[in-house]
Short mmCIF file of all heavy atoms in Angstrom, two decimals:
data_model
loop_
_atom_site.label_atom_id
_atom_site.label_comp_id
_atom_site.label_asym_id
_atom_site.label_seq_id
_atom_site.Cartn_x
_atom_site.Cartn_y
_atom_site.Cartn_z
N LEU A 1 4.15 10.57 -20.41
CA LEU A 1 4.44 9.99 -19.09
C LEU A 1 5.30 10.93 -18.24
O LEU A 1 5.32 10.83 -17.02
CB LEU A 1 5.07 8.61 -19.23
CG LEU A 1 6.45 8.42 -19.87
CD1 LEU A 1 7.59 8.76 -18.92
CD2 LEU A 1 6.60 6.97 -20.32
N LYS A 2 5.99 11.89 -18.89
CA LYS A 2 6.79 12.83 -18.12
C LYS A 2 5.92 13.71 -17.22
O LYS A 2 6.41 14.26 -16.23
CB LYS A 2 7.63 13.71 -19.05
CG LYS A 2 8.80 12.95 -19.68
CD LYS A 2 9.70 13.89 -20.47
CE LYS A 2 10.92 13.13 -21.01
NZ LYS A 2 11.85 14.04 -21.73
N ALA A 3 4.64 13.84 -17.57
CA ALA A 3 3.72 14.57 -16.69
C ALA A 3 3.65 13.91 -15.32
O ALA A 3 3.43 14.58 -14.30
CB ALA A 3 2.33 14.61 -17.31
N LEU A 4 3.84 12.61 -15.30
CA LEU A 4 3.65 11.82 -14.10
C LEU A 4 4.95 11.50 -13.37
O LEU A 4 4.93 11.19 -12.18
CB LEU A 4 2.93 10.52 -14.47
CG LEU A 4 1.69 10.70 -15.36
CD1 LEU A 4 1.16 9.35 -15.81
CD2 LEU A 4 0.62 11.50 -14.66
N THR A 5 6.07 11.60 -14.09
CA THR A 5 7.35 11.19 -13.51
C THR A 5 8.34 12.32 -13.32
O THR A 5 9.40 12.11 -12.71
CB THR A 5 8.01 10.12 -14.40
OG1 THR A 5 8.24 10.67 -15.71
CG2 THR A 5 7.14 8.88 -14.53
N GLU A 6 8.04 13.51 -13.83
CA GLU A 6 8.94 14.65 -13.69
C GLU A 6 8.17 15.87 -13.17
O GLU A 6 6.95 15.84 -13.04
CB GLU A 6 9.60 14.99 -15.03
CG GLU A 6 10.47 13.87 -15.57
CD GLU A 6 11.19 14.25 -16.86
OE1 GLU A 6 11.21 15.46 -17.21
OE2 GLU A 6 11.75 13.35 -17.52
N GLY A 7 8.90 16.94 -12.87
CA GLY A 7 8.27 18.19 -12.47
C GLY A 7 8.15 18.40 -10.97
O GLY A 7 7.39 19.27 -10.53
N ALA A 8 8.87 17.62 -10.17
CA ALA A 8 8.76 17.75 -8.71
C ALA A 8 9.06 19.17 -8.24
O ALA A 8 8.49 19.64 -7.24
CB ALA A 8 9.71 16.77 -8.03
N GLU A 9 9.91 19.88 -8.98
CA GLU A 9 10.27 21.24 -8.57
C GLU A 9 9.08 22.21 -8.64
O GLU A 9 9.11 23.28 -8.01
CB GLU A 9 11.41 21.78 -9.43
CG GLU A 9 11.07 22.02 -10.89
CD GLU A 9 11.17 20.78 -11.77
OE1 GLU A 9 11.31 19.66 -11.23
OE2 GLU A 9 11.10 20.92 -13.01
N ASP A 10 8.04 21.83 -9.37
CA ASP A 10 6.87 22.71 -9.51
C ASP A 10 5.66 22.24 -8.71
O ASP A 10 4.64 22.95 -8.68
CB ASP A 10 6.48 22.85 -10.98
CG ASP A 10 7.44 23.75 -11.75
OD1 ASP A 10 7.85 24.78 -11.18
OD2 ASP A 10 7.78 23.43 -12.90
N THR A 11 5.72 21.08 -8.10
CA THR A 11 4.57 20.65 -7.31
C THR A 11 4.52 21.43 -6.00
O THR A 11 5.55 21.72 -5.39
CB THR A 11 4.61 19.14 -7.02
OG1 THR A 11 5.81 18.82 -6.31
CG2 THR A 11 4.53 18.34 -8.31
N TYR A 12 3.30 21.76 -5.60
CA TYR A 12 3.12 22.65 -4.45
C TYR A 12 1.79 22.33 -3.79
O TYR A 12 0.79 22.05 -4.47
CB TYR A 12 3.15 24.11 -4.93
CG TYR A 12 2.93 25.13 -3.84
CD1 TYR A 12 3.90 25.39 -2.89
CD2 TYR A 12 1.72 25.84 -3.78
CE1 TYR A 12 3.69 26.33 -1.88
CE2 TYR A 12 1.51 26.78 -2.78
CZ TYR A 12 2.49 27.02 -1.84
OH TYR A 12 2.28 27.94 -0.86
N ALA A 13 1.76 22.40 -2.48
CA ALA A 13 0.54 22.10 -1.73
C ALA A 13 -0.33 23.36 -1.60
O ALA A 13 -0.53 23.89 -0.51
CB ALA A 13 0.89 21.54 -0.36
N GLY A 14 -0.85 23.82 -2.73
CA GLY A 14 -1.68 25.01 -2.74
C GLY A 14 -2.96 24.86 -1.96
O GLY A 14 -3.61 25.86 -1.61
N TRP A 15 -3.33 23.61 -1.66
CA TRP A 15 -4.52 23.35 -0.86
C TRP A 15 -4.37 23.83 0.59
O TRP A 15 -5.36 23.86 1.33
CB TRP A 15 -4.87 21.87 -0.89
CG TRP A 15 -3.72 20.92 -0.74
CD1 TRP A 15 -2.97 20.38 -1.73
CD2 TRP A 15 -3.18 20.40 0.47
NE1 TRP A 15 -1.99 19.56 -1.22
CE2 TRP A 15 -2.10 19.54 0.13
CE3 TRP A 15 -3.51 20.56 1.82
CZ2 TRP A 15 -1.35 18.86 1.09
CZ3 TRP A 15 -2.76 19.89 2.79
CH2 TRP A 15 -1.69 19.05 2.41
N MET A 16 -3.18 24.26 0.95
CA MET A 16 -2.99 24.86 2.28
C MET A 16 -3.16 26.37 2.25
O MET A 16 -3.25 27.00 3.30
CB MET A 16 -1.59 24.51 2.81
CG MET A 16 -1.43 23.07 3.27
SD MET A 16 -2.44 22.69 4.73
CE MET A 16 -1.62 23.67 5.99
N ASP A 17 -3.22 26.97 1.07
CA ASP A 17 -3.21 28.43 0.95
C ASP A 17 -4.59 29.04 0.79
O ASP A 17 -4.77 30.24 1.06
CB ASP A 17 -2.35 28.85 -0.24
CG ASP A 17 -0.88 28.58 -0.02
OD1 ASP A 17 -0.50 28.18 1.10
OD2 ASP A 17 -0.09 28.77 -0.97
N VAL A 18 -5.56 28.27 0.30
CA VAL A 18 -6.92 28.78 0.07
C VAL A 18 -7.93 27.72 0.50
O VAL A 18 -7.59 26.54 0.61
CB VAL A 18 -7.16 29.12 -1.42
CG1 VAL A 18 -6.39 30.37 -1.83
CG2 VAL A 18 -6.82 27.94 -2.31
N PRO A 19 -9.17 28.12 0.72
CA PRO A 19 -10.19 27.11 1.02
C PRO A 19 -10.39 26.16 -0.16
O PRO A 19 -10.30 26.56 -1.32
CB PRO A 19 -11.46 27.95 1.25
CG PRO A 19 -11.00 29.34 1.45
CD PRO A 19 -9.71 29.49 0.72
N VAL A 20 -10.65 24.91 0.17
CA VAL A 20 -10.91 23.88 -0.84
C VAL A 20 -12.30 23.30 -0.60
O VAL A 20 -12.66 22.96 0.54
CB VAL A 20 -9.86 22.75 -0.76
CG1 VAL A 20 -10.20 21.63 -1.74
CG2 VAL A 20 -8.47 23.29 -1.01
N TRP A 21 -13.06 23.19 -1.69
CA TRP A 21 -14.29 22.40 -1.66
C TRP A 21 -14.04 21.15 -2.48
O TRP A 21 -13.49 21.23 -3.59
CB TRP A 21 -15.47 23.20 -2.22
CG TRP A 21 -16.12 24.06 -1.17
CD1 TRP A 21 -15.50 24.94 -0.33
CD2 TRP A 21 -17.52 24.13 -0.86
NE1 TRP A 21 -16.41 25.55 0.49
CE2 TRP A 21 -17.67 25.08 0.19
CE3 TRP A 21 -18.65 23.50 -1.37
CZ2 TRP A 21 -18.91 25.40 0.72
CZ3 TRP A 21 -19.89 23.82 -0.82
CH2 TRP A 21 -20.01 24.76 0.21
N TYR A 22 -14.42 20.02 -1.91
CA TYR A 22 -14.11 18.72 -2.53
C TYR A 22 -15.39 17.96 -2.82
O TYR A 22 -16.22 17.75 -1.92
CB TYR A 22 -13.21 17.90 -1.60
CG TYR A 22 -12.69 16.64 -2.23
CD1 TYR A 22 -11.56 16.67 -3.04
CD2 TYR A 22 -13.33 15.41 -2.03
CE1 TYR A 22 -11.08 15.51 -3.63
CE2 TYR A 22 -12.84 14.26 -2.61
CZ TYR A 22 -11.72 14.31 -3.41
OH TYR A 22 -11.25 13.16 -3.99
N LEU A 23 -15.55 17.53 -4.07
CA LEU A 23 -16.69 16.72 -4.47
C LEU A 23 -16.24 15.26 -4.56
O LEU A 23 -15.51 14.87 -5.48
CB LEU A 23 -17.24 17.19 -5.83
CG LEU A 23 -18.52 16.50 -6.30
CD1 LEU A 23 -19.68 16.76 -5.33
CD2 LEU A 23 -18.90 16.98 -7.71
N ALA A 24 -16.64 14.46 -3.58
CA ALA A 24 -16.27 13.05 -3.53
C ALA A 24 -17.23 12.23 -4.38
O ALA A 24 -18.45 12.35 -4.26
CB ALA A 24 -16.29 12.56 -2.09
N THR A 25 -16.68 11.40 -5.25
CA THR A 25 -17.47 10.59 -6.18
C THR A 25 -17.60 9.18 -5.60
O THR A 25 -16.65 8.39 -5.61
CB THR A 25 -16.78 10.56 -7.55
OG1 THR A 25 -15.36 10.37 -7.39
CG2 THR A 25 -16.98 11.89 -8.27
N THR A 26 -18.80 8.87 -5.12
CA THR A 26 -18.97 7.67 -4.29
C THR A 26 -18.92 6.36 -5.07
O THR A 26 -18.70 5.31 -4.49
CB THR A 26 -20.30 7.74 -3.51
OG1 THR A 26 -21.40 7.78 -4.45
CG2 THR A 26 -20.35 8.97 -2.62
N GLU A 27 -19.14 6.42 -6.41
CA GLU A 27 -19.12 5.20 -7.22
C GLU A 27 -17.89 5.13 -8.10
O GLU A 27 -17.89 4.45 -9.13
CB GLU A 27 -20.40 5.15 -8.09
CG GLU A 27 -21.70 5.30 -7.31
CD GLU A 27 -21.86 4.23 -6.25
OE1 GLU A 27 -21.59 3.05 -6.54
OE2 GLU A 27 -22.24 4.58 -5.11
N ASP A 28 -16.84 5.80 -7.72
CA ASP A 28 -15.63 5.94 -8.54
C ASP A 28 -14.87 4.62 -8.62
O ASP A 28 -14.58 3.99 -7.60
CB ASP A 28 -14.74 7.02 -7.93
CG ASP A 28 -13.77 7.63 -8.91
OD1 ASP A 28 -13.17 6.87 -9.69
OD2 ASP A 28 -13.61 8.85 -8.89
N ARG A 29 -14.52 4.20 -9.84
CA ARG A 29 -13.72 2.99 -10.04
C ARG A 29 -12.26 3.30 -10.34
O ARG A 29 -11.41 2.40 -10.29
CB ARG A 29 -14.32 2.16 -11.18
CG ARG A 29 -15.71 1.62 -10.86
CD ARG A 29 -16.26 0.80 -12.02
NE ARG A 29 -17.62 0.31 -11.72
CZ ARG A 29 -18.38 -0.37 -12.59
NH1 ARG A 29 -17.92 -0.63 -13.81
NH2 ARG A 29 -19.59 -0.77 -12.23
N ALA A 30 -11.94 4.56 -10.67
CA ALA A 30 -10.55 4.94 -10.93
C ALA A 30 -9.85 5.39 -9.66
O ALA A 30 -8.69 5.07 -9.43
CB ALA A 30 -10.50 6.05 -11.99
N LEU A 31 -10.57 6.15 -8.83
CA LEU A 31 -10.05 6.58 -7.54
C LEU A 31 -11.12 6.27 -6.51
O LEU A 31 -12.02 7.07 -6.28
CB LEU A 31 -9.73 8.09 -7.55
CG LEU A 31 -9.09 8.63 -6.27
CD1 LEU A 31 -7.70 8.03 -6.06
CD2 LEU A 31 -8.99 10.16 -6.32
N PRO A 32 -11.06 5.10 -5.90
CA PRO A 32 -12.15 4.66 -5.01
C PRO A 32 -12.48 5.66 -3.92
O PRO A 32 -11.61 6.40 -3.45
CB PRO A 32 -11.60 3.35 -4.42
CG PRO A 32 -10.63 2.85 -5.46
CD PRO A 32 -10.00 4.09 -6.04
N PHE A 33 -13.74 5.68 -3.55
CA PHE A 33 -14.26 6.60 -2.55
C PHE A 33 -13.43 6.54 -1.27
O PHE A 33 -13.15 7.58 -0.64
CB PHE A 33 -15.73 6.27 -2.28
CG PHE A 33 -16.39 7.14 -1.25
CD1 PHE A 33 -16.47 8.51 -1.42
CD2 PHE A 33 -16.96 6.58 -0.12
CE1 PHE A 33 -17.09 9.32 -0.48
CE2 PHE A 33 -17.59 7.37 0.83
CZ PHE A 33 -17.66 8.74 0.65
#
């Protein structure tokens, strides 16, 4: 659970530094479309 509750010092918005391609999963039940 520490993966989810700690480590803020290492999180970074790298999606601003390089192009991102995103595959949206339209039938997703864990992370809705």
Side-chain angles (χ1 to χ4, degrees):
L1 65 79
K2 287 186 176 183
L4 312 173
T5 60
E6 297 184 13
E9 67 277 10
D10 286 320
T11 59
Y12 178 72
W15 43 269
M16 286 294 291
D17 292 353
V18 289
V20 176
W21 275 50
Y22 188 83
L23 185 62
T25 44
T26 62
E27 306 302 316
D28 203 317
R29 295 180 181 176
L31 184 65
F33 180 59

